[in-house]
Structures are given as structure tokens and as C-alpha cells.
Amino acid sequence: MVEPDLHLGDDVLVPDIGGWTTARMPRLPDAPWLSVPPDWVCEALSPSTAGIDRVKKTRVYARSGIGWYWILDPSQRTIEVLKLVGDRYSLHSTCMLGERLSLEPFSTETFDPVGWWLDTDEAPPEQR
């Protein structure tokens, strides 16, 4: 779901993308917001939100028991896959432009993130 309005305890957050297994949410509720934490969230960093995504949202997502957290960094064209271990996230894997990977929790799918970035013809200077 794109930009779901999440009410997680006292925290109200809107991740860029969130996903639930059908076992936990067989159908979308008829409500303006969701209180069931997703199984997976994804945030695309921007200069104005990077600190919130990496600090505040990370803490709330972990406290809410969200098992997987992807952080996309368009400026570096990288994806960090974080896995909830206990009450904190641990870096599970990383991916960058040009790599095809199976990214958890979607291990049966192969992703090619080259199409996820706007200017896909060229890697950022740090990756040339």
C-alpha cells in the first residue's frame, strides 16, 4: 500500500510503502487509518526526511514489531534491508545500482533496482 496512514500506539506515521501478509490482514479495513503494523515498510530518503526516516521512524517501526524495513537512498542509489532482531533492526543486506537481488521478505522474487531511480543511465559519481 502506498503511503498508508498508520496509527501505532501514540505514533502516527506515513511510510512511503507498507505491506501486510494476508494472514495478518486478509482484507483492507474500511477505515481512514490502519492500526495493524505492516510486516514490511519502505522509505525513500530525501534531504528533508532522511533524519526522521533513519531515527524516529526506525525506532517506532521496531517498537511496533515491523519485521522488515527497507531504506532507499536515491542520491546513492542504494537499498538497505533491515531485519528486526529482538527490539532493534540489524542490517540484513544491501543492494546498489546494477545488482539483481532477492530482497527479504520477498525471497521468491528477484529485483533489479536500476528502474527505481529517475536518471537510470548513470550511477552516481561515488559508484563509477
Side-chain angles (χ1 to χ4, degrees):
M1 178 182 292
V2 176
E3 296 184 344
D5 189 359
L6 303 178
H7 290 225
L8 305 172
D10 293 335
D11 296 294
V12 176
L13 300 174
V14 180
D16 292 321
I17 306 172
W20 292 258
T21 61
T22 54
R24 291 192 55 239
M25 188 182 294
R27 62 188 177 129
L28 290 176
D30 184 20
W33 47 267
L34 303 164
S35 59
V36 175
D39 296 287
W40 164 82
V41 290
C42 178
E43 296 285 2
L45 300 181
S46 70
S48 63
T49 65
I52 293 167
D53 292 341
R54 288 195 174 277
V55 179
K56 179 185 178 191
K57 286 186 173 184
T58 300
R59 291 176 184 157
V60 174
Y61 293 156
R63 187 172 55 243
S64 301
I66 297 171
W68 296 94
Y69 181 19
W70 289 9
I71 299 176
L72 279 65
D73 186 341
S75 68
Q76 297 300 310
R77 296 191 179 133
T78 59
I79 305 161
E80 299 171 38
V81 177
L82 306 175
K83 180 181 181 179
L84 187 62
V85 178
D87 62 352
R88 295 177 186 226
Y89 284 106
S90 175
L91 182 62
H92 180 269
S93 61
T94 57
C95 176
M96 61 189 278
L97 182 68
E99 295 182 319
R100 293 182 61 87
L101 294 177
S102 293
L103 302 173
E104 294 291 346
F106 309 104
S107 59
T108 60
E109 300 295 323
T110 301
F111 295 93
D112 182 0
V114 71
W116 298 3
W117 319 118
L118 285 177
D119 181 19
T120 59
D121 294 336
E122 189 175 333
E126 300 81 18
Q127 294 178 11
R128 285 189 219 150

